[in-house]
């Protein structure tokens, strides 16, 4: 599936245009866990960072990659957890650190205007490190998962070719034997610069 | 060609990276755990009577032949025994003397040595109190995952007299473990003993008649 997604990405990029432009993106995301990750940690993540790179292959299409990290944390004051005949109660400290890397393809609308919406799709991998601390015990799972990453947003161009980007990315992790898919929605604000 | 150098943003990213595990536990209460497990095959409803020692033994290592074990100081020991008794009675059990053949015997113990393995060290201790008991314990139909305990842990085991296995071990039908309960200040321990023991019974509804 990963190879297929990569092939689609390269086809969509098409032949490199002569006016290729490199864009670097520094993004701060606020992330909301969904599915299994949302069940494990209710609280949104305010700790994270994304580094992105895009090359404009023509006036409307960009290809590149995103590398990101988000930390989810929740303290559960006191609860009882049942596992078969066993039950354990205590304060829980739950952490999930998700590291993502994906190849992205974007379509950017309104060529030449100051405000340019865009949509995109990406595929890659994520490494999710789930930690559950209870008392002196720590339970950990750390699967690598296949990742799909659709995105949409708007770029607000400023002087000098720099831009402010507001975006929404969905990090869709695929289930593995070790853990359900670790997915989350990230709303980001980014600063983009390039040549 | 123009390239911006957003140093402040990179510094911000480095600071964020330091926060992979925010808000670690700070208070000793945050480390408290109450763990229970039980035999799925034992009919707790059919058992009506229990016996309880009047003090709490300390497990600190192997004892020499004939050597008497230490007991938890009465300040805490009395409170532990009283709280177990209150919960057993509230759950519909009737306390009788150990000589009158109770259906179960409830045995509280405190761990002084770090990471002692209950499997291998417990048996010898109880020989003095219930001399007809065998050497050790077994856990029919389940396995107590938390078999290594930290200093200050309190352990309660419910066993059945007269069901000693061929190898001389006694069945533990219910186990409750309180990690680190006997650590901290005097007032703090007293509060946590009460809430910990209450919690063990609350999360074990099968003990209720």
């Amino acid at each position: 599936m990963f190879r297929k997604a990569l092939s689609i990405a390269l086809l969509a990029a098409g032949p490199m245009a002569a006016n290729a432009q490199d864009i670097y993106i520094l993004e701060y995301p606020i992330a909301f866990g969904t599915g299994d990750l949302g069940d494990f940690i209710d609280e949104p993540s305010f700790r994270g960072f994304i580094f992105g790179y895009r090359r404009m292959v023509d006036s409307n299409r960009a290809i590149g990659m995103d590398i990101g990290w988000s930390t989810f944390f929740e303290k559960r004051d006191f609860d009882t957890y049942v596992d078969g005949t066993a039950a354990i109660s205590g304060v829980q400290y739950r952490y999930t650190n998700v590291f993502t890397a994906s190849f992205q393809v974007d379509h950017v609308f309104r060529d030449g205007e100051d405000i340019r919406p865009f949509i995109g799709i990406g595929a890659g991998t994520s490494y999710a490190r789930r930690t559950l601390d209870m008392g002196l015990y720590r339970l950990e799972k750390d699967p690598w998962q296949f990742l799909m990453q659709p995105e949409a947003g708007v770029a607000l161009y400023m002087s000098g070719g720099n831009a402010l980007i507001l975006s929404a990315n969905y990090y869709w992790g695929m289930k593995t034997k070790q853990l359900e898919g670790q997915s989350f929605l990230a709303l980001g604000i980014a600063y983009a610069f390039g040549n | 060609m123009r390239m911006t150098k957003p140093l402040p943003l990179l510094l911000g990213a480095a600071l964020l990276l330091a926060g992979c595990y925010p808000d670690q536990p700070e208070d000793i209460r945050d480390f408290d755990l109450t763990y229970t497990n039980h035999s799925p095959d034992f009919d707790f409803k059919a058992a009506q009577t229990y016996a309880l020692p009047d003090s709490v033994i300390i497990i600190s290592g192997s004892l020499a032949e004939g050597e008497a074990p230490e007991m938890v100081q009465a300040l805490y020991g009395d409170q532990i025994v009283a709280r177990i008794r209150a919960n057993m009675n509230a759950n519909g059990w009737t306390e009788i003397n150990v000589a009158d053949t109770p259906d179960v015997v409830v045995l509280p113990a405190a761990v002084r040595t770090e990471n002692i393995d209950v499997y291998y060290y417990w048996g010898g201790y109880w020989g003095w109190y219930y001399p007809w008991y065998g050497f050790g314990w077994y856990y029919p139909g389940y396995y107590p995952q938390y078999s290594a305990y930290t200093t200050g842990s309190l352990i309660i085991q419910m066993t059945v007299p007269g069901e000693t296995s061929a190898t001389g071990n006694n069945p533990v039908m219910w186990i409750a473990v309180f990690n680190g309960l006997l650590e901290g200040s005097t007032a703090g321990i007293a509060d946590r003993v009460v809430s910990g023991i209450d919690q063990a019974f609350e999360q074990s509804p099968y003990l209720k008649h």
Side-chain angles (χ1 to χ4, degrees), chain B residues 173-197:
Chain B
M173 301 308 183
W174 178 70
I175 185 171
V177 181
F178 313 87
N179 252 355
L181 193 62
L182 303 178
E183 295 281 291
S185 68
T186 302
I189 290 173
D191 285 347
R192 287 157 59 218
V193 161
V194 169
S195 59
I197 293 174

Side-chain angles (χ1 to χ4, degrees), chain A residues 3-79:
Chain A
R3 283 183 183 172
K4 190 177 176 184
L6 187 60
S7 301
I8 292 170
L10 292 174
L11 280 174
M16 294 291 179
N19 62 339
Q21 182 187 11
D22 295 319
I23 301 169
Y24 302 92
I25 304 163
L26 300 173
E27 179 177 341
Y28 170 67
I30 297 174
F32 303 85
T34 63
D36 183 67
L37 176 56
D39 291 341
F40 184 64
I41 296 176
D42 289 336
E43 301 293 328
S45 162
F46 294 98
R47 291 176 171 84
F49 195 78
I50 296 166
F51 173 76
Y53 165 76
R54 295 291 187 276
R55 165 165 280 227
M56 296 297 297
V57 293
D58 61 28
S59 57
N60 292 109
R61 286 181 294 172
I63 60 169
M65 64 181 301
D66 284 344
I67 297 173
W69 157 74
S70 284
T71 288
F72 294 84
F73 165 73
E74 183 178 357
K75 177 185 177 183
R76 297 222 169 163
D77 284 341
F78 191 92
D79 214 338

Side-chain angles (χ1 to χ4, degrees), chain A residues 24 26 28 46-49 69 71-73 75 78-80 83-93 95 97 99 129 131 133-140 159-162 191 193-195, chain B residues 1-6 9-10 12-13 15-26 29-40 141-143 145-150 179 199 203 206:
Chain A
Y24 302 92
L26 300 173
Y28 170 67
F46 294 98
R47 291 176 171 84
F49 195 78
W69 157 74
T71 288
F72 294 84
F73 165 73
K75 177 185 177 183
F78 191 92
D79 214 338
T80 300
D83 181 16
T85 57
I88 187 164
S89 300
V91 175
Q92 285 196 349
Y93 290 78
Y95 309 91
N97 281 279
F99 301 88
R129 191 175 188 88
T131 305
D133 286 349
M134 202 169 178
L136 297 172
Y137 297 97
R138 169 168 283 188
L139 304 174
E140 254 181 3
S159 60
N162 300 333
Y191 174 69
F193 59 97
N195 60 358
Chain B
M1 179 172 157
R2 177 179 179 276
M3 180 69 78
T4 308
K5 293 179 181 176
L9 287 173
L10 290 173
L15 288 173
L16 285 169
L17 280 168
C20 283
Y21 292 98
D23 297 338
Q24 300 279 328
E26 292 174 355
R29 289 171 186 270
D30 292 340
F31 289 100
D32 283 350
L33 280 185
T34 302
Y35 171 85
T36 56
N37 208 338
H38 68 283
S39 170
Y142 72 104
Y143 180 79
Q145 293 94 330
Y146 296 86
S147 59
Y149 307 107
T150 54
N179 252 355
Q199 178 59 37
Q203 70 189 44
Y206 41 85

